[in-house]
Every structure is written in structure tokens, then in C-alpha cells.
Amino acid sequence: AQSVTQLGSHVSVSEGALVLLRCNYSSSVPPYLFWYVQYPNQGLQLLLKYTTGATLVKGINGFEAEFKKSETSFHLTKPSAHMSDAAEYFCAVSDRGDSSYKLIFGSGTRLLVRP
Amino acid sequence: NAGVMQNPRHLVRRRGQEARLRCSPMKGHSHVYWYRQLPEEGLKFMVYLQKENIIDESGMPKERFSAEFPKEGPSILRIQQVVRGDSAAYFCASSPFFGGENSPLHFGNGTRLTVT
């Protein structure tokens, strides 16, 4: 069965510093990969996704993630953190094909941005 | 361009009561999914529906939980005889097509159920 591991339930960075949120997955076949952001008391917003093609994926709000098959990783980065980036971030995977709607989520990483 | 609409945003029920959660998908979307988020956890898939059909309910608890998506009106997630362990955020998502890389899920803002 697939699983997703997000290292670090809380990550704290200073405003302007690099943001790195880690995500590793376990799957025998490369899945679809997603990052979602959740602001307090809101739903999930899709930041970016990897399905095929270029392994470096650019998303909204200056975020990007790189799919590394050899490391089974899909870490999320942003060069310079902004106060508005403070939120909870979820990595998710799904099978390719008929059950691609069934997302498997990690437990989330709460990003804190210090002024 | 309204997104996925869920109501109510917050719902408080006493143990033993029924909870009804509603979800209207995005315009043009005919596929609806329900996910549950327990405190301090990621979302977990519950059920996938199309109009008048349950396609996949593999994530639904076997008892007390049911879902429907009628021909007219919103999708409904119903929890009978709620217990404290049902307290969670319930998210609905919709998509225009069935699966695939061009059919990402769009999530609503969720209904936060509290059972007292």
C-alpha cells in the first residue's frame, strides 16, 4: 500500500529565508504527486502537482517541488518565505489510472514564519 | 465562479443525534468525493460518487455513515447516532472528469463537526 511521510510536523523559518518541506512516498510505481496548502479553517488549495514530464514543477505563490525517483521524494521549496506563507502543507500521492481520485495524504507540516 | 460549496461550516451535535453535511460541486463537475480529517492528521478518503451512483465507498465506516448524490441538489454525507470519535473536519471535493492527470480534485472549505 502507498504511504506518504512528511518529516517534521512543524517547520519554523524567518521571513525571507528558504522554505524546505520534505515529503517521501512509498510506491512501487511512480505515482501522481501533489502539494496542498491549508490556511486556518479553510479547505485545501492545490499548490502544484507532478504527473509526467519535467521533474521540477512550479506552482503558485513561488513554490516549486522536484520529483526524485531515486530518492522517492517530492520536497517543496520556496526561495524566500513570506509571512503569508504561514499555513499547513500537505503532500499527497495517488495511483495513476482508475483510482487516481483516491489521494493518500501525509500528516502535514505546519509552517511558521518569523518576522 | 463559485468553488466547491459546503455547509454548514460548523456543526455541533450531541451524542446519538444525526449529522447531515452538504456539498455542492463546482459548476460543470459531476464527480464528488468526501474526505475526513481527524485532528492532527491528513485527510483520508471516504467515498466517491457520481450523480445517483456510489462509485467507491471503500473508505466509509461500515455502520452509521452513508452518502448520496441525487440527480438534483447537493451531495449529502449523513452520520447517524454520532459519537465523539466522529468529531472531525469533513471535506468535499469535486472534479470534472473521472481521474487522470487532467482532473485534479478541488476541495471545499469543509464542515467541522463537533460531537459533545
Side-chain angles (χ1 to χ4, degrees), chain A residues 76-110:
Chain A
L76 181 71
T77 60
K78 181 174 180 177
S80 177
H82 193 273
M83 296 297 290
S84 61
D85 294 326
E88 186 140 26
Y89 291 80
F90 290 95
C91 180
V93 304
S94 74
D95 283 333
R96 296 172 179 267
D98 289 353
S99 62
S100 61
Y101 56 85
K102 201 178 289 187
L103 297 173
I104 311 291
F105 283 85
S107 55
T109 297
R110 190 171 300 276

Short mmCIF file of all heavy atoms in Angstrom, two decimals, chain A residues 76-110:
data_model
loop_
_atom_site.label_atom_id
_atom_site.label_comp_id
_atom_site.label_asym_id
_atom_site.label_seq_id
_atom_site.Cartn_x
_atom_site.Cartn_y
_atom_site.Cartn_z
N LEU A 76 9.13 20.21 -1.19
CA LEU A 76 8.58 21.52 -1.58
C LEU A 76 9.54 22.61 -1.14
O LEU A 76 10.01 22.60 0.01
CB LEU A 76 7.22 21.72 -0.92
CG LEU A 76 6.47 23.02 -1.25
CD1 LEU A 76 5.96 23.00 -2.69
CD2 LEU A 76 5.30 23.22 -0.28
N THR A 77 9.82 23.56 -2.03
CA THR A 77 10.73 24.64 -1.68
C THR A 77 10.17 25.99 -2.13
O THR A 77 9.34 26.07 -3.04
CB THR A 77 12.13 24.46 -2.30
OG1 THR A 77 11.99 24.42 -3.73
CG2 THR A 77 12.79 23.18 -1.82
N LYS A 78 10.69 27.02 -1.46
CA LYS A 78 10.42 28.39 -1.88
C LYS A 78 11.64 29.20 -1.46
O LYS A 78 12.08 29.10 -0.31
CB LYS A 78 9.16 28.95 -1.23
CG LYS A 78 8.83 30.38 -1.66
CD LYS A 78 7.49 30.84 -1.12
CE LYS A 78 7.20 32.27 -1.58
NZ LYS A 78 5.88 32.76 -1.14
N PRO A 79 12.22 29.97 -2.37
CA PRO A 79 13.49 30.65 -2.06
C PRO A 79 13.39 31.63 -0.89
O PRO A 79 14.32 31.75 -0.11
CB PRO A 79 13.81 31.38 -3.37
CG PRO A 79 13.02 30.70 -4.42
CD PRO A 79 11.78 30.20 -3.75
N SER A 80 12.26 32.32 -0.77
CA SER A 80 12.16 33.39 0.21
C SER A 80 10.78 33.37 0.85
O SER A 80 9.78 33.64 0.19
CB SER A 80 12.42 34.74 -0.47
OG SER A 80 12.25 35.79 0.44
N ALA A 81 10.73 33.06 2.15
CA ALA A 81 9.45 32.93 2.83
C ALA A 81 8.81 34.29 3.06
O ALA A 81 9.50 35.29 3.35
CB ALA A 81 9.64 32.23 4.17
N HIS A 82 7.49 34.28 2.96
CA HIS A 82 6.70 35.48 3.24
C HIS A 82 5.77 35.16 4.40
O HIS A 82 5.37 34.01 4.58
CB HIS A 82 5.91 35.86 1.98
CG HIS A 82 5.31 37.22 2.03
ND1 HIS A 82 4.07 37.48 2.57
CD2 HIS A 82 5.80 38.41 1.62
CE1 HIS A 82 3.81 38.77 2.49
NE2 HIS A 82 4.84 39.36 1.91
N MET A 83 5.42 36.19 5.15
CA MET A 83 4.53 35.97 6.30
C MET A 83 3.24 35.25 5.88
O MET A 83 2.71 34.42 6.62
CB MET A 83 4.19 37.29 6.99
CG MET A 83 5.37 38.02 7.61
SD MET A 83 6.15 37.07 8.93
CE MET A 83 4.88 37.16 10.18
N SER A 84 2.76 35.55 4.70
CA SER A 84 1.51 34.97 4.24
C SER A 84 1.63 33.48 3.90
O SER A 84 0.62 32.83 3.63
CB SER A 84 1.00 35.72 3.01
OG SER A 84 1.93 35.63 1.96
N ASP A 85 2.86 32.95 3.93
CA ASP A 85 3.04 31.52 3.66
C ASP A 85 2.74 30.66 4.88
O ASP A 85 2.70 29.43 4.77
CB ASP A 85 4.48 31.24 3.20
CG ASP A 85 4.80 31.88 1.87
OD1 ASP A 85 3.90 31.97 1.02
OD2 ASP A 85 5.97 32.30 1.68
N ALA A 86 2.56 31.29 6.01
CA ALA A 86 2.27 30.52 7.23
C ALA A 86 0.95 29.78 7.06
O ALA A 86 -0.11 30.38 6.86
CB ALA A 86 2.20 31.45 8.43
N ALA A 87 1.04 28.46 7.13
CA ALA A 87 -0.13 27.60 6.88
C ALA A 87 0.30 26.17 7.13
O ALA A 87 1.43 25.90 7.51
CB ALA A 87 -0.62 27.77 5.45
N GLU A 88 -0.63 25.23 6.87
CA GLU A 88 -0.27 23.82 6.94
C GLU A 88 -0.18 23.29 5.51
O GLU A 88 -1.02 23.59 4.67
CB GLU A 88 -1.30 23.02 7.73
CG GLU A 88 -0.91 21.57 7.94
CD GLU A 88 -1.26 21.06 9.32
OE1 GLU A 88 -2.20 21.60 9.93
OE2 GLU A 88 -0.60 20.10 9.77
N TYR A 89 0.84 22.50 5.29
CA TYR A 89 1.12 21.98 3.95
C TYR A 89 1.02 20.46 3.97
O TYR A 89 1.58 19.80 4.84
CB TYR A 89 2.51 22.42 3.49
CG TYR A 89 2.58 23.91 3.25
CD1 TYR A 89 2.73 24.79 4.32
CD2 TYR A 89 2.47 24.44 1.97
CE1 TYR A 89 2.75 26.17 4.11
CE2 TYR A 89 2.50 25.81 1.75
CZ TYR A 89 2.65 26.66 2.83
OH TYR A 89 2.67 28.02 2.62
N PHE A 90 0.30 19.95 2.98
CA PHE A 90 0.11 18.51 2.88
C PHE A 90 0.66 17.99 1.56
O PHE A 90 0.34 18.52 0.50
CB PHE A 90 -1.38 18.15 2.95
CG PHE A 90 -1.99 18.36 4.30
CD1 PHE A 90 -2.65 19.55 4.59
CD2 PHE A 90 -1.89 17.40 5.28
CE1 PHE A 90 -3.23 19.75 5.84
CE2 PHE A 90 -2.46 17.59 6.53
CZ PHE A 90 -3.13 18.77 6.81
N CYS A 91 1.46 16.95 1.66
CA CYS A 91 1.89 16.21 0.49
C CYS A 91 0.92 15.05 0.28
O CYS A 91 0.42 14.47 1.25
CB CYS A 91 3.31 15.68 0.74
SG CYS A 91 4.01 14.74 -0.62
N ALA A 92 0.63 14.74 -0.96
CA ALA A 92 -0.31 13.64 -1.25
C ALA A 92 0.13 12.91 -2.50
O ALA A 92 0.80 13.47 -3.37
CB ALA A 92 -1.73 14.18 -1.42
N VAL A 93 -0.25 11.65 -2.57
CA VAL A 93 0.03 10.83 -3.75
C VAL A 93 -1.24 10.12 -4.17
O VAL A 93 -2.17 9.97 -3.38
CB VAL A 93 1.13 9.78 -3.47
CG1 VAL A 93 2.39 10.43 -2.97
CG2 VAL A 93 0.65 8.72 -2.50
N SER A 94 -1.26 9.69 -5.40
CA SER A 94 -2.35 8.83 -5.85
C SER A 94 -1.82 7.92 -6.94
O SER A 94 -0.81 8.23 -7.59
CB SER A 94 -3.54 9.64 -6.37
OG SER A 94 -3.24 10.20 -7.63
N ASP A 95 -2.49 6.81 -7.11
CA ASP A 95 -2.15 5.92 -8.20
C ASP A 95 -2.43 6.60 -9.53
O ASP A 95 -3.29 7.48 -9.62
CB ASP A 95 -3.01 4.65 -8.14
CG ASP A 95 -2.53 3.69 -7.07
OD1 ASP A 95 -1.32 3.72 -6.75
OD2 ASP A 95 -3.35 2.92 -6.57
N ARG A 96 -1.74 6.17 -10.53
CA ARG A 96 -2.09 6.56 -11.89
C ARG A 96 -3.26 5.67 -12.33
O ARG A 96 -3.35 4.54 -11.94
CB ARG A 96 -0.90 6.37 -12.81
CG ARG A 96 0.26 7.25 -12.43
CD ARG A 96 1.53 6.96 -13.21
NE ARG A 96 2.56 7.90 -12.78
CZ ARG A 96 2.81 9.04 -13.38
NH1 ARG A 96 2.14 9.38 -14.46
NH2 ARG A 96 3.74 9.86 -12.92
N GLY A 97 -4.13 6.20 -13.14
CA GLY A 97 -5.21 5.37 -13.66
C GLY A 97 -6.51 5.52 -12.91
O GLY A 97 -6.82 6.57 -12.36
N ASP A 98 -7.25 4.45 -12.86
CA ASP A 98 -8.65 4.48 -12.44
C ASP A 98 -8.88 4.96 -11.01
O ASP A 98 -9.95 5.45 -10.70
CB ASP A 98 -9.30 3.10 -12.62
CG ASP A 98 -9.51 2.77 -14.07
OD1 ASP A 98 -9.26 3.66 -14.91
OD2 ASP A 98 -9.90 1.64 -14.39
N SER A 99 -7.94 4.78 -10.13
CA SER A 99 -8.17 5.19 -8.74
C SER A 99 -7.38 6.45 -8.39
O SER A 99 -7.05 6.68 -7.23
CB SER A 99 -7.82 4.06 -7.79
OG SER A 99 -6.46 3.71 -7.91
N SER A 100 -7.08 7.26 -9.38
CA SER A 100 -6.27 8.46 -9.13
C SER A 100 -7.00 9.49 -8.27
O SER A 100 -6.38 10.43 -7.80
CB SER A 100 -5.82 9.09 -10.45
OG SER A 100 -6.94 9.48 -11.21
N TYR A 101 -8.31 9.31 -8.08
CA TYR A 101 -9.05 10.24 -7.21
C TYR A 101 -8.79 9.95 -5.73
O TYR A 101 -9.13 10.75 -4.86
CB TYR A 101 -10.56 10.09 -7.46
CG TYR A 101 -11.07 8.69 -7.28
CD1 TYR A 101 -11.42 8.21 -6.02
CD2 TYR A 101 -11.15 7.82 -8.36
CE1 TYR A 101 -11.86 6.92 -5.84
CE2 TYR A 101 -11.59 6.51 -8.19
CZ TYR A 101 -11.94 6.07 -6.93
OH TYR A 101 -12.37 4.79 -6.77
N LYS A 102 -8.23 8.78 -5.43
CA LYS A 102 -8.06 8.38 -4.04
C LYS A 102 -6.70 8.86 -3.55
O LYS A 102 -5.69 8.16 -3.64
CB LYS A 102 -8.17 6.86 -3.93
CG LYS A 102 -8.51 6.36 -2.54
CD LYS A 102 -8.63 4.85 -2.52
CE LYS A 102 -9.86 4.35 -3.24
NZ LYS A 102 -10.05 2.89 -3.07
N LEU A 103 -6.66 10.08 -3.04
CA LEU A 103 -5.42 10.66 -2.58
C LEU A 103 -5.03 10.09 -1.22
O LEU A 103 -5.87 9.93 -0.35
CB LEU A 103 -5.55 12.18 -2.48
CG LEU A 103 -5.84 12.94 -3.78
CD1 LEU A 103 -6.11 14.40 -3.49
CD2 LEU A 103 -4.67 12.80 -4.73
N ILE A 104 -3.74 9.83 -1.08
CA ILE A 104 -3.17 9.44 0.21
C ILE A 104 -2.39 10.63 0.71
O ILE A 104 -1.44 11.07 0.07
CB ILE A 104 -2.23 8.23 0.07
CG1 ILE A 104 -2.86 7.10 -0.73
CG2 ILE A 104 -1.75 7.77 1.45
CD1 ILE A 104 -4.01 6.42 -0.06
N PHE A 105 -2.79 11.17 1.86
CA PHE A 105 -2.17 12.37 2.38
C PHE A 105 -1.16 12.04 3.46
O PHE A 105 -1.33 11.10 4.24
CB PHE A 105 -3.23 13.30 2.99
CG PHE A 105 -4.04 14.06 1.97
CD1 PHE A 105 -5.15 13.50 1.39
CD2 PHE A 105 -3.67 15.35 1.60
CE1 PHE A 105 -5.91 14.19 0.46
CE2 PHE A 105 -4.41 16.06 0.67
CZ PHE A 105 -5.54 15.48 0.10
N GLY A 106 -0.12 12.87 3.52
CA GLY A 106 0.74 12.86 4.68
C GLY A 106 0.05 13.55 5.84
O GLY A 106 -1.04 14.11 5.69
N SER A 107 0.69 13.53 6.98
CA SER A 107 0.07 14.09 8.19
C SER A 107 0.23 15.60 8.29
O SER A 107 -0.28 16.21 9.23
CB SER A 107 0.62 13.41 9.43
OG SER A 107 2.03 13.51 9.45
N GLY A 108 0.93 16.19 7.34
CA GLY A 108 1.01 17.65 7.28
C GLY A 108 2.22 18.24 7.99
O GLY A 108 2.76 17.66 8.94
N THR A 109 2.64 19.40 7.51
CA THR A 109 3.71 20.19 8.14
C THR A 109 3.21 21.61 8.31
O THR A 109 2.79 22.24 7.32
CB THR A 109 4.99 20.20 7.28
OG1 THR A 109 5.50 18.88 7.15
CG2 THR A 109 6.04 21.10 7.92
N ARG A 110 3.24 22.05 9.54
CA ARG A 110 2.80 23.43 9.81
C ARG A 110 4.00 24.35 9.66
O ARG A 110 5.01 24.19 10.35
CB ARG A 110 2.20 23.54 11.20
CG ARG A 110 1.52 24.87 11.47
CD ARG A 110 0.76 24.85 12.79
NE ARG A 110 -0.27 23.82 12.83
CZ ARG A 110 -1.48 23.98 12.34
NH1 ARG A 110 -1.84 25.12 11.78
NH2 ARG A 110 -2.38 23.00 12.44
#
